[in-house]
Amino acid sequence: MTVYAIIGGTGLTQLEGLTIRQALPLETPYGKPSADVLRGEYAGREVLFLARHGHPHRIPPHQVNYRANLWALREAGAEAFLAVNAVGGIHAAMGTGHLCVPHQIVDYTYGRAHTYFEGELDAVTHVDFSYPYDEALRQKLIAALGAEGCAWSGHGVYGCTQGPRLETAAEITRLERDGCDIVGMTGMPEAVLARELDLPYACLALVVNPAAGKSHQLITMADIERALSEGMGRVKSVLGRLLASH
């Protein structure tokens, strides 16, 4: 059976219901990951779990060591990545609490260590990134969402910004013009690093606020935390359904 690694984002620094068998304080050629890799049992099967922002939540999106995180998970035995991301909603359908399995991504980040293929190489390597998410894994998430009975979308374009600040209304207008449906800060370079490791990767995104300018109210952390608290239960249920059926 496939060993899935769950990468928990904001609101999912620990996976309630995970029976932890082992905490692995791994070192990698790229430094330390955000937290120990946890090996355990969830929904009746072996999984790996890593808190993207550390536990407690302390590492901002632009300072996450994405290379170390994915490398450590692979070294621990991960065969596929299920990434959980908190995002803002741009498209009208992406209201607070909506769950989205994006099919494309636009990268607006800068200055992040974004590849394993650098330094003293034997040859230059380019990976095909036309379709950034693994389609078979996306379909498994979609099937689990379909059984959950909540508001969801099986496609969407994820615009990944640098952070840690939220975007301006003008920036969101630009992203919308570029075709983005949701906006977050952690989708890249995570997705491309998984591709460089040749491991399937898919994202389950929870909309926790309307993007800047998409609401008459200011975005507050209290509102975001409320949406996270309400939505992460559905996220865990979806992950449990996927794991139990595959």
Side-chain angles (χ1 to χ4, degrees):
M1 296 178 72
T2 301
V3 177
Y4 288 100
I6 299 170
I7 304 173
T10 300
L12 194 63
T13 55
Q14 48 188 337
L15 186 59
E16 185 179 342
L18 173 67
T19 302
I20 300 171
R21 306 295 187 197
Q22 192 177 16
L24 304 171
L26 299 176
E27 294 279 351
T28 81
Y30 306 96
K32 290 185 177 182
S34 298
D36 289 351
V37 173
L38 303 181
R39 186 194 309 278
E41 185 176 304
Y42 188 71
R45 63 184 295 170
E46 179 189 1
V47 298
L48 300 169
F49 178 78
L50 178 65
R52 183 187 290 117
H53 298 280
H55 181 58
H57 186 285
R58 60 184 176 80
I59 307 171
H62 66 296
Q63 291 186 323
V64 171
N65 191 338
Y66 296 95
R67 294 193 298 182
N69 284 354
L70 271 69
W71 191 274
L73 286 167
R74 187 190 67 165
E75 289 301 295
E79 296 173 321
F81 298 110
L82 292 167
V84 177
N85 302 73
V87 300
I90 299 176
H91 191 282
M94 305 291 174
T96 300
H98 197 88
L99 287 167
C100 177
V101 182
H103 70 291
Q104 276 292 342
I105 196 162
V106 181
D107 187 7
Y108 300 94
T109 66
Y110 51 87
R112 300 183 181 190
H114 63 281
T115 182
Y116 294 114
F117 297 126
E118 62 182 11
E120 297 296 323
L121 301 175
D122 294 330
V124 174
T125 301
H126 304 284
V127 295
D128 180 9
F129 203 52
S130 303
Y131 303 98
Y133 301 106
D134 181 81
E135 188 58 26
L137 193 49
R138 275 191 1 94
Q139 291 303 322
K140 291 176 182 178
L141 279 171
I142 288 168
L145 277 165
E148 190 63 24
C150 59
W152 62 277
S153 297
H155 66 279
V157 178
Y158 182 137
C160 188
T161 58
Q162 178 70 357
R165 67 169 177 84
L166 298 177
E167 301 74 31
T168 69
E171 287 169 335
I172 292 300
T173 298
R174 174 198 173 194
L175 267 65
E176 186 172 28
R177 205 163 49 232
D178 287 350
C180 297
D181 300 302
I182 54 177
V183 57
M185 302 175 189
T186 54
M188 287 290 286
E190 199 171 85
V192 74
L193 292 170
R195 182 61 51 85
E196 289 186 351
L197 293 176
D198 197 27
L199 292 175
Y201 176 99
C203 165
L204 178 59
L206 170 67
V207 179
V208 296
N209 61 273
K214 293 299 178 181
S215 169
H216 297 301
Q217 298 178 334
L218 291 176
I219 301 168
T220 69
M221 289 310 299
D223 290 338
I224 291 174
E225 287 168 5
R226 189 177 306 112
L228 283 167
S229 177
E230 293 172 357
M232 278 304 162
R234 293 192 296 276
V235 167
K236 294 171 187 174
S237 180
V238 170
L239 294 174
R241 285 182 185 276
L242 186 155
L243 293 168
S245 59
H246 295 281

